Amino acid sequence: MYRSSKYDQSMKIYKTIADLRGYRQSTGPEKIIFVPTMGALHEGHGSLVQMARKIADIHGIVVASIFVNPTQFGPHEDYHKYPRPLELDMDHLRRWGADAVFVPSLEEMYPDGSAISIDPGPLGAVLEGAFRPGHFRGVATVVTKLLNLVQPAVMILGQKDFQQQLILRRLVADLNMPVEIITAPTIREPDGLAMSSRNRYLSASQRACAGAIYQALCAARDHYRSGQRDAATLQSAMYTLISKAGMEVQYALACHAETLTAFNGLVSSPAVLLVAARLGTTRLLDNMLLE
Ligand code: PAF
């Protein structure tokens, strides 16, 4: 357990915008380090909150949010079944050192629906955006609302959602929001599976195969390290290993790490390997930077 003595007090819980704003005014000039989440927290989130705690200990306050945002789910996706273990999540946040958590209701966040939304631009149209139309519009819109409410100096996001963190970096830059974004490394299970709230949907037999995604990323990275630069070769190495493990590969690409354009021909720096695969009804995402 990690808590600073300076902020070792009971975590504040805010359910309304009015209460959060009141808290925000009372915190004065102290720097807010913000970790937005949809709950169903795991050690991956833990690493983000603990990183926030470390930054905040110099001068700041750690605020997390838990909100399962309906506008980023497609009509046939898992919005209704998305896990909401709220009490457990609160215990985790306390243990990891959050000072406050914003847990708004649907009505609080969208009292009149969502007539105005944020266009995530070309980065939002590819990869996850192509498989989940409207997803990044929902993410960009809710994160804009959360940033307006929390007014953090720093927001911490996980590298696991590589495309999301890239779009949100672009969002704060293009909209001139005074927020620094830190991308924290992916936290993995012992077999390499990237931690995700959706991993709990996997059956025991599915879970046993899921580590193949990480093995495929490592294999492609190792080819790259030994000099292989042909995108198709790296991609087919990933494709073969993931599909052999019984997953449906939706994409396994070597992309430019800033534009997300898939390399056609030779891979050059900065590059990232990006994978989405389906295991039964569960979609798993992972990525690895090629350095
Ligand atoms: O990554 C998530 O959990 C969500 O997309 C976020 C950033 C909290 C927005 O709802």
Side-chain angles (χ1 to χ4, degrees):
M1 176 166 129
Y2 183 90
R3 275 201 73 93
S4 91
S5 53
K6 186 172 175 199
Y7 296 108
D8 198 8
Q9 53 194 351
S10 57
M11 184 177 73
K12 311 252 185 328
I13 300 172
Y14 297 105
K15 295 186 175 173
T16 66
I17 288 171
D19 287 348
L20 178 70
R21 287 215 164 109
Y23 173 66
R24 193 59 192 84
Q25 272 158 18
S26 74
T27 57
E30 282 197 278
K31 198 163 158 174
I32 304 274
I33 321 297
F34 178 47
V35 182
T37 82
M38 297 205 303
L41 303 178
H42 48 71
E43 292 302 321
H45 297 107
S47 76
L48 308 185
V49 178
Q50 284 166 321
M51 180 184 280
R53 182 73 265 157
K54 280 191 184 138
I55 298 169
D57 273 353
I58 304 166
H59 46 132
I61 292 171
V62 178
V63 177
S65 65
I66 297 179
F67 178 62
V68 185
N69 172 41
T71 67
Q72 68 188 77
F73 288 79
H76 304 296
E77 293 184 356
D78 55 342
Y79 173 68
H80 292 290
K81 83 164 191 187
Y82 200 85
R84 291 161 170 86
L86 199 57
E87 286 310 313
L88 199 60
D89 284 349
M90 296 297 178
D91 289 346
H92 287 317
L93 289 173
R94 269 186 210 103
R95 183 164 56 87
W96 295 327
D99 296 299
V101 56
F102 179 48
V103 200
S105 64
L106 184 57
E107 296 68 35
E108 191 68 15
M109 285 300 275
Y110 295 107
D112 299 313
S114 182
I116 305 288
S117 60
I118 303 286
D119 182 347
L123 284 175
V126 296
L127 302 164
E128 283 308 284
F131 279 91
R132 304 182 67 189
H135 170 65
F136 288 119
R137 178 177 291 277
V139 171
T141 304
V142 80
V143 171
T144 301
K145 287 158 76 73
L146 290 167
L147 290 175
N148 283 339
L149 294 167
V150 177
Q151 297 182 7
V154 179
M155 173 165 70
I156 305 190
L157 300 167
Q159 189 191 318
K160 151 90 178 24
D161 294 304
F162 189 85
Q163 188 174 3
Q164 168 172 278
Q165 60 83 38
L166 209 58
I167 290 169
L168 295 177
R169 281 175 180 276
R170 189 64 200 251
L171 172 101
V172 302
D174 282 12
L175 300 187
N176 308 105
M177 296 179 173
V179 186
E180 179 193 347
I181 294 189
I182 296 179
T183 303
T186 302
I187 304 298
R188 299 181 179 281
E189 302 287 355
D191 68 347
L193 176 65
M195 288 196 183
S196 162
S197 304
R198 288 185 169 101
N199 290 352
R200 64 189 79 190
Y201 296 154
L202 299 174
S203 68
S205 60
Q206 290 171 335
R207 176 64 194 83
C209 319
I213 295 179
Y214 180 65
Q215 285 150 25
L217 286 165
C218 291
R221 180 206 52 201
D222 292 347
H223 287 315
Y224 181 83
R225 282 184 178 163
S226 34
Q228 179 58 260
R229 292 290 179 273
D230 180 50
T233 306
L234 299 176
Q235 289 165 184
S236 98
M238 292 190 285
Y239 188 93
T240 306
L241 285 168
I242 300 168
S243 41
K244 247 194 199 160
M247 282 175 259
E248 179 204 326
V249 182
Q250 294 191 323
Y251 54 83
L253 293 169
C255 296
H256 189 284
E258 286 158 9
T259 63
L260 295 182
T261 309
F263 286 106
N264 185 8
L266 294 186
V267 174
S268 59
S269 197
V272 61
L273 300 169
L274 292 158
V275 170
R278 265 169 74 106
L279 194 44
T281 54
T282 307
R283 291 184 78 244
L284 299 174
L285 304 187
D286 206 345
N287 65 81
M288 195 173 278
L289 283 161
L290 291 178
E291 285 157 331

